[in-house]
Amino acid sequence: MRLGLPYMGSKRKIAGSIVSAILQRHPEMKNFYDLFGGGGAISFEMLKRKNITTHYNELNRHVFSLIKYLKENKTLEPK
């Protein structure tokens, strides 16, 4: 399942390739900072890899809250 918000400019379809390239260049990475997190595609992909602590940053607090909810609940379905 692909996580991240689908919108024009989203990196959901290429997130795997981006993260693989980052990890290939920095195999010792312990922390990843997604400074312009947007829909979270790169952060969610990074969370699937190794034991890397992922830090998501987004100026829009509503998008940030939605991404946090998705990370914690893995769904938009109400509990």
Side-chain angles (χ1 to χ4, degrees), residues 4-72:
L5 301 175
Y7 65 94
M8 185 193 282
S10 175
K11 294 174 210 64
R12 277 188 339 156
K13 292 180 181 178
I14 60 172
S17 297
I18 291 171
V19 168
S20 291
I22 291 169
L23 293 176
Q24 185 176 9
R25 290 182 182 172
H26 305 282
E28 74 291 343
M29 182 186 304
K30 301 285 185 230
N31 289 285
F32 175 74
Y33 295 87
D34 194 352
L35 300 179
F36 303 97
I42 303 300
S43 290
F44 280 117
E45 184 65 31
M46 192 62 80
L47 286 169
K48 293 193 247 178
R49 312 290 181 103
K50 295 185 177 181
N51 291 322
I52 298 171
T53 302
T54 301
H55 305 273
Y56 170 85
N57 181 64
E58 175 55 43
L59 185 60
N60 184 320
R61 63 184 167 94
H62 299 295
V63 172
F64 177 84
S65 295
L66 177 58
I67 296 298
K68 181 179 178 186
Y69 180 87
L70 285 172
K71 180 184 175 220
E72 293 169 356

